[in-house]
Amino acid sequence: MRILVIEDDLETSAFLTKALKESGHVAEAKHDGESGLNAAREGTYDVLVVDRMLPKQDGLSLIATLRAENVVTPVLILSALGEVDDRIKGLRAGGDDYLTKPYSYSELLARVEVLARRIKPEEVQMQYAIADLTLDRLAHKVTRAGETILLQPREYRLLEYLMKYAGQVVTRTMLLENVWDYHFDPQTNVIDVHISRLRSKIDKNFDTPLLHTIRGAGYMISDATS
Amino acid sequence: MPLPKLLYTTTFRLSVLFLIVYGLTAVMALGYIYWNTNVLLIRQLNQTVQAEIQGLAEQYRQGGINVLARTIAERSQAPGISIYLVTDKNGQHIAGNLKSVSQQLWDTVGDVRFSYKRNVSTDTSETRQAFAKTFRLPNGYRLIVGRDIEDRHIFSQVITTVFWGLSFMTLIGLSGGWLVSRNLLSRIDRITAASQTIMNGHLSERIPVQGSHDELDRLSVNLNDMLDKIENLMNGLREVSDNIAHDLKTPLNRMRNRVEAALRDHNGTEKNIYRDALQATIDDADFLIKTFNALLSIAQMEAGSTKNTLLQIDLVPVVRDIAELYEPVIEEHGMELSVDMQGSVMVHADRQLLGQAIANLLDNAIKYGVSGKRIDTKEQPRIFLAIEQKDRFAHIMVADHGPGIPQSDLERVLERFVRLEQSRSLPGNGLGLSLVAAIVRSHRGEFRLEDNQPGLKATIRLPLL
């Protein structure tokens, strides 16, 4: 996918474009708000990665301008300001996700890929299926190989989120944010334990594991055995 | 105390101004009354004496000296303030209550003021003031008719006394004003001196309070409270910079050493040395980032940046969400979470921050709540999470039966980077409880750690809506 990185720090933007290319994406970089805005207007990008503080035009006003012009390309905001208040402001300006510096590349990549696959409301599926695992969103029912699996409400939402982005890496922070709606960083591996409980319900009695741990990044639901 | 400084005080200026206005008014009123009364009295005196003299002169013209003498003798008998005298051309007394005539009186024709002796009793006499008119009758006779004006004299004396009284009052007023100003000034000087000392860096100095509960005292008490707060903040800041220096430099140094060691191994003889060193470096960097983020959060919370994010929320679902998030991990650690809350508890709070505070307390309970001597070893160690409503406050309690914290350290562990000896071996940055305390403070709440006998009981107290 095509990604535009608008970041004034040359080293950071070089690192990001290089890493994104290595991950199989097409990445370009702009180093100030003005040229970034022009590129975002004209180009056809799947995701914009926008630093909050930029020379010439600041990140938030850049996003607001794009949104006012009906450019709906998903935006991931990068910011050194990480307080609740800053996050709210960023999302209100039209950002789709917010990542606080310093971040790990795997976190950024996972978020960019999920954003690019952003599902429009009209495309919302009522049923997710991966291999023999299905999740029926109307009936709130999960089955594997025809067998009904009973899940706690939170386990259901966890699985729902993972299956929505099946085949993509989802980080622990993303799960905490999207399934629990908390933005802090727990000192204990709370998410891992929830995942292992979920795994014991959907994978334990079956031959092919579907819920995979991606080392150093997060989790992924996929039928590929890699 | 130097006088000029005193003259500039508000109290002194006010008292002087007040005295001047008051004194001038009094003097003017007195003067006016005195002058008016005097004029009126003199005019009246003049007229009556003149009328009487003319009457007597008429009698003389009609009846001669004998008739006049008799009339005067008669009138002299009557008690009062009238003075009469008739003499022959040599000044010899013929009739009247004035015994003799002085040279001054003899020489003057017309109005005269003089003093005379009057018998008070049979053998004492006193000198009194009088006013008279002298009149020359034909054949050298002299007629003197007057009035005793000693009483009027007394009136003027009263006025004079009142004037002196006023002057005395003014003096007392001035010295009173001076005393009050001096007292006030010395107190202000003491306050100024104290603030100078504080400005020179002695932050523990306080403004003297007299204990008289007056407005200056109240001001001083308030200023002292402010100074307490400033001192706390300053101490916090100093401590933080000391601790940052230590707690951030140590992992940075460790990181540096590790990279250096990896680089020294030129040939990469050990198989994964670069890879391992880099992985460890990332772990160290992550630890540093977490520490740094926590520090920033605390700082921002203390700068009051959370004011805009506090909303009316129900505590119960927030705490329940966190409990649900932590329950599996608590069980994983061989413990049990018991939750006790019901209904809805409305407070002003930020769900994210409060959630983080409770999560931090649960993290701690997991880390420290398990070891230690339990009375019944068969029972699973428990973590208690409860909300109570008491005295218009919501109490969120997180308690465990672990080893707890010694009484003497209960306060200290809330400070940044403080880690007790027992916990040195466990991961952590010593900021968890500091962050909780900062979050609770930013919610205008109170955070307390207590002995749970055994274990630790942490209570977040927030005002109910």
Side-chain angles (χ1 to χ4, degrees):
Chain A
M1 59 191 72
R2 288 168 57 81
I3 300 157
L4 175 63
V5 177
I6 311 175
E7 155 73 75
D8 60 328
D9 184 66
L10 294 180
E11 203 168 318
T12 308
S13 64
F15 161 76
L16 280 182
T17 44
K18 180 167 177 280
L20 286 167
K21 279 174 190 159
E22 281 165 9
S23 309
H25 300 296
V26 178
E28 280 171 45
K30 294 288 173 205
H31 306 295
D32 63 73
E34 222 171 74
S35 60
L37 179 63
N38 289 331
R41 267 181 187 140
E42 287 151 20
T44 46
Y45 296 100
D46 297 299
V47 178
L48 308 176
V49 177
V50 180
D51 186 45
R52 189 166 169 158
M53 281 184 226
L54 288 170
K56 293 192 184 166
Q57 185 172 2
D58 113 279
L60 291 194
S61 85
L62 183 153
I63 298 164
T65 312
L66 283 178
R67 293 299 184 243
E69 292 171 9
N70 278 326
V71 179
V72 292
T73 319
V75 174
L76 170 63
I77 303 173
L78 296 182
S79 171
L81 311 167
E83 285 312 298
V84 185
D85 213 14
D86 304 318
R87 171 185 293 275
I88 293 170
K89 271 185 216 151
L91 298 183
R92 207 172 277 158
D96 299 276
D97 200 357
Y98 196 97
L99 190 57
T100 309
K101 289 181 183 179
Y103 47 81
S104 66
Y105 172 67
S106 53
E107 185 75 43
L108 180 129
L109 179 67
R111 283 170 190 262
V112 163
E113 290 185 338
V114 160
L115 275 183
R117 264 269 310 270
R118 167 63 58 88
I119 292 138
K120 298 187 186 85
E122 61 268 24
E123 296 168 358
V124 170
Q125 289 170 280
M126 289 329 288
Q127 186 169 328
Y128 299 133
I130 202 90
D132 53 355
L133 177 69
T134 59
L135 181 142
D136 185 340
R137 298 181 65 219
L138 275 178
H140 267 256
K141 204 174 143 190
V142 177
T143 57
R144 178 143 195 209
E147 246 178 80
T148 302
I149 297 169
L150 290 175
L151 294 178
Q152 299 288 326
R154 194 70 68 171
E155 289 166 345
Y156 174 84
R157 286 180 58 190
L158 189 55
L159 182 63
E160 188 185 26
Y161 186 79
L162 286 162
M163 288 188 82
K164 187 176 175 186
Y165 297 106
Q168 288 184 317
V169 178
V170 170
T171 65
R172 291 170 180 83
T173 328
M174 285 162 78
L175 288 173
L176 187 62
E177 283 180 15
N178 290 288
V179 178
W180 279 271
D181 189 24
Y182 277 115
H183 300 281
F184 59 86
D185 193 4
Q187 292 173 48
T188 328
N189 56 337
V190 277
I191 300 296
D192 295 348
V193 184
H194 279 277
I195 290 283
S196 76
R197 288 197 167 191
L198 179 63
R199 183 177 276 146
S200 74
K201 290 190 178 174
I202 62 167
D203 275 349
K204 202 177 172 188
N205 303 318
F206 302 92
D207 293 336
T208 355
L210 296 176
L211 180 45
H212 307 279
T213 303
I214 311 299
R215 204 169 157 263
Y219 298 99
M220 176 164 75
I221 281 227
S222 148
D223 56 355
T225 44
S226 61
Chain B
M1 176 147 322
L3 199 61
K5 205 165 148 195
L6 195 64
L7 296 181
Y8 286 116
T9 61
T10 318
T11 354
F12 194 75
R13 285 183 185 193
L14 270 179
S15 40
V16 167
L17 184 71
F18 185 73
L19 277 172
I20 287 175
V21 170
Y22 187 76
L24 275 181
T25 316
V27 165
M28 270 163 64
L30 270 178
Y32 181 75
I33 290 168
Y34 176 70
W35 185 75
N36 251 354
T37 318
N38 227 0
V39 166
L40 201 72
L41 281 175
I42 297 255
R43 193 185 299 147
Q44 225 175 6
L45 209 57
N46 236 326
Q47 280 168 357
T48 43
V49 171
Q50 186 67 35
E52 202 168 5
I53 273 189
Q54 269 161 7
L56 290 169
E58 192 60 31
Q59 281 198 358
Y60 171 77
R61 242 177 274 124
Q62 288 173 0
I65 190 67
N66 291 335
V67 175
L68 180 66
R70 206 168 51 237
T71 313
I72 283 188
E74 264 169 33
R75 289 193 186 177
S76 298
Q77 293 302 311
I81 55 164
S82 301
I83 293 165
Y84 302 99
L85 180 66
V86 185
T87 64
D88 60 14
K89 59 183 177 212
N90 297 323
Q92 283 301 306
H93 179 274
I94 298 172
N97 51 8
L98 193 61
K99 295 302 171 221
S100 60
V101 62
S102 62
Q103 193 58 44
Q104 178 209 5
L105 207 52
W106 188 253
D107 290 341
T108 343
V109 177
D111 297 356
V112 67
R113 267 163 206 258
F114 63 100
S115 47
Y116 75 105
K117 282 198 189 313
R118 177 160 146 180
N119 290 336
V120 184
S121 57
T122 39
D123 48 314
T124 53
S125 64
E126 60 177 13
T127 310
R128 295 174 68 97
Q129 293 290 315
F131 165 81
K133 279 178 186 291
T134 61
F135 194 72
R136 289 175 196 220
L137 296 170
N139 302 323
Y141 294 111
R142 287 254 174 121
L143 173 60
I144 296 170
V145 176
R147 292 286 187 271
D148 185 299
I149 56 166
E150 187 62 29
D151 288 347
R152 206 174 57 85
H153 189 67
I154 286 172
F155 174 65
S156 85
Q157 267 178 353
V158 167
I159 293 285
T160 317
T161 315
V162 168
F163 176 77
W164 283 117
L166 271 178
S167 311
F168 187 62
M169 266 168 55
T170 311
L171 203 68
I172 289 189
L174 274 177
S175 31
W178 181 70
L179 277 174
V180 170
S181 311
R182 201 181 63 158
N183 177 32
L184 199 69
L185 198 61
S186 77
R187 287 178 69 186
I188 298 224
D189 277 350
R190 269 182 307 212
I191 293 175
T192 314
S195 28
Q196 289 284 357
T197 322
I198 292 161
M199 275 191 282
N200 286 334
H202 301 274
L203 260 181
S204 49
E205 176 81 16
R206 286 296 173 266
I207 291 164
V209 176
Q210 232 177 17
S212 54
H213 302 291
D214 58 3
E215 62 275 18
L216 262 187
D217 256 15
R218 273 182 298 158
L219 182 69
S220 305
V221 167
N222 255 324
L223 286 175
N224 281 343
D225 287 350
M226 188 180 82
L227 287 169
D228 285 346
K229 175 121 202 202
I230 291 174
E231 195 187 5
N232 275 343
L233 287 175
M234 289 295 289
N235 284 343
L237 209 63
R238 192 171 310 137
E239 206 174 283
V240 166
S241 36
D242 289 355
N243 287 333
I244 286 178
H246 178 261
D247 283 69
L248 293 186
K249 266 185 188 169
T250 312
L252 275 171
N253 200 45
R254 198 167 52 217
M255 208 155 109
R256 197 186 177 286
N257 290 345
R258 190 174 288 126
V259 174
E260 214 173 42
L263 279 179
R264 253 202 312 271
D265 189 9
H266 299 292
N267 318 317
T269 39
E270 273 184 62
K271 209 176 155 201
N272 278 328
I273 189 154
Y274 290 143
R275 197 173 186 83
D276 290 349
L278 285 173
Q279 188 55 52
T281 304
I282 286 182
D283 291 346
D284 277 345
D286 283 348
F287 173 80
L288 280 168
I289 289 165
K290 277 188 184 184
T291 307
F292 198 66
N293 280 344
L295 267 179
L296 274 180
S297 297
I298 294 173
Q300 281 178 331
M301 221 96 58
E302 281 177 350
S305 71
T306 54
K307 271 183 201 97
N308 312 322
T309 60
L310 298 190
L311 298 169
Q312 289 189 16
I313 57 162
D314 186 357
L315 273 183
V316 173
V318 177
V319 177
R320 191 154 280 152
D321 278 356
I322 296 288
E324 187 258 355
L325 177 65
Y326 270 79
E327 200 177 3
V329 85
I330 288 170
E331 284 171 14
E332 191 91 333
H333 281 78
M335 289 190 262
E336 210 177 292
L337 178 67
S338 91
V339 182
D340 177 20
M341 62 187 98
Q342 54 239 295
S344 74
V345 181
M346 299 301 290
V347 291
H348 257 294
D350 180 308
R351 179 177 170 273
Q352 294 295 336
L353 294 174
L354 205 59
Q356 170 152 32
I358 300 162
N360 274 9
L361 293 177
L362 289 174
D363 278 330
N364 272 2
I366 293 169
K367 254 197 278 185
Y368 307 116
V370 68
S371 52
K373 34 189 189 310
R374 264 173 288 128
I375 302 142
D376 183 2
T377 40
K378 271 175 278 174
E379 203 183 317
Q380 246 187 339
R382 262 172 204 271
I383 296 172
F384 302 88
L385 177 59
I387 304 179
E388 270 178 28
Q389 296 190 58
K390 250 193 311 203
D391 319 322
R392 312 208 33 75
F393 282 93
H395 297 244
I396 308 165
M397 282 167 297
V398 178
D400 62 56
H401 286 319
I405 294 175
Q407 195 72 33
S408 51
D409 289 326
L410 281 177
E411 287 275 320
R412 211 165 65 83
V413 290
L414 298 184
E415 290 166 17
R416 272 163 271 211
F417 292 113
V418 171
R419 303 195 68 203
L420 301 178
E421 267 329 300
Q422 306 91 288
S423 64
R424 284 274 164 203
S425 54
L426 292 162
N429 51 23
L431 290 172
L433 286 176
S434 319
L435 186 56
V436 176
I439 289 174
V440 176
R441 260 199 305 277
S442 78
H443 281 65
R444 297 180 182 285
E446 223 176 79
F447 179 54
R448 224 182 27 225
L449 294 175
E450 287 161 284
D451 191 352
N452 198 30
Q453 293 173 339
L456 181 70
K457 181 168 136 189
T459 311
I460 295 173
R461 204 172 77 133
L462 298 177
L464 282 170
L465 276 183

